[in-house]
């Protein structure tokens, strides 16, 4: 198959756009028809040096994510976490929708999930380390949740000034 659609870098939706708080709808027909969208999302993620991107971040309330995976990128539809490890770890996270904000976020160290691929296949994925963190972050986006929703009220209070700068 040949792709003729030129790659596009899409505009990233930034905080405090209400779209980022909205719950995404499942994709009813995951498959090759959405290949171009996945490619545009991947190119947008790369252009912004991101490691993952969720569809609400490009203005689409649909359950679609792209995740940077060591040496290749993957697009996924309707990802759902089936199981997460009791083991957790804390690491610093940023988000393309919250430029300049980096927060230490606690996540499960390992997750098992199910998702559909752009080839229309349903697959089970076990993700560890950074991969597990990215999946959890992107799936949070599909639920309308951002990293600032994952910190203590005290920490969030301290962030108030920075968040206001994002909302001129
Ligand atoms: Co994000």
């Amino acid at each position: 198959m040949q792709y003729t659609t030129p790659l596009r870098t899409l505009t990233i939706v930034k905080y405090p756009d209400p779209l980022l708080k909205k719950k995404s709808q499942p994709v009813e027909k995951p498959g090759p028809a959405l290949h171009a969208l996945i490619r545009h999302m991947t190119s947008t993620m790369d252009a912004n040096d991101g490691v993952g991107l969720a569809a609400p971040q490009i203005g689409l309330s649909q359950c679609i994510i792209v995740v940077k995976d060591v040496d290749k990128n993957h697009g996924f539809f309707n990802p759902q976490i089936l199981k997460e490890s009791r083991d957790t770890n804390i690491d610093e996270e940023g988000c393309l929708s919250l430029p300049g904000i980096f927060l230490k976020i606690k996540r499960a160290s390992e997750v098992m999930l199910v998702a559909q691929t752009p080839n229309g296949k349903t697959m089970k994925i076990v993700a560890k380390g950074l991969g597990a963190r990215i999946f959890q972050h992107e799936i949070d986006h599909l639920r309308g949740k951002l990293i600032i929703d994952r910190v203590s009220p005290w920490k969030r209070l301290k962030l108030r000034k920075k968040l206001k700068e994002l909302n001129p």
Side-chain angles (χ1 to χ4, degrees):
M1 197 194 289
Q2 250 196 347
Y3 296 111
T4 45
T5 337
L7 279 179
R8 288 175 56 203
T9 301
L10 308 162
T11 308
I12 305 249
V13 173
K14 307 243 164 82
Y15 176 89
D17 194 308
L19 212 87
L20 295 169
K21 287 210 154 216
K22 233 175 114 180
K23 212 172 162 244
S24 291
Q25 296 302 307
V27 178
E28 302 223 348
K29 280 190 188 148
L34 291 162
H35 257 144
L37 178 68
I38 292 285
R39 292 177 71 245
H40 297 323
M41 282 179 68
T42 304
S43 114
T44 305
M45 168 179 75
D46 289 340
N48 288 282
D49 290 322
V51 288
L53 193 68
Q57 293 181 281
I58 51 135
L60 203 64
S61 276
Q62 295 222 33
C63 294
I64 307 169
I65 59 170
V66 292
V67 169
K68 196 154 192 108
D69 189 1
V70 198
D71 59 358
K72 49 182 177 177
N73 303 312
H74 290 293
F76 298 99
F77 303 108
N78 307 324
Q80 265 185 315
I81 292 178
L82 299 176
K83 226 162 121 182
E84 49 181 64
S85 63
R86 233 183 291 166
D87 234 32
T88 56
N89 62 69
I90 295 172
D91 211 342
E92 199 161 72
E93 279 179 35
C95 179
L96 295 178
S97 295
L98 288 158
I101 289 179
F102 298 92
L103 298 169
K104 286 196 166 133
I105 308 287
K106 187 164 128 180
R107 303 272 189 198
S109 309
E110 197 175 321
V111 289
M112 187 198 279
L113 47 121
V114 67
Q116 275 113 39
T117 69
N119 295 323
K121 285 193 182 126
T122 298
M123 67 184 290
K124 255 191 193 173
I125 304 151
V126 175
K128 297 174 192 180
L130 182 62
R133 183 167 287 279
I134 301 171
F135 271 114
Q136 289 171 85
H137 178 118
E138 302 314 329
I139 290 170
D140 267 359
H141 273 297
L142 305 181
R143 298 168 174 153
K145 219 166 180 183
L146 299 173
I147 49 173
I148 50 171
D149 301 315
R150 288 217 170 257
V151 296
S152 67
W154 165 242
K155 186 89 211 230
R156 202 159 163 182
L157 202 66
K158 286 209 296 185
L159 272 170
R160 217 162 46 167
K161 205 176 146 222
K162 268 197 171 176
L163 288 174
K164 265 208 177 129
E165 283 166 15
L166 293 178
N167 184 18

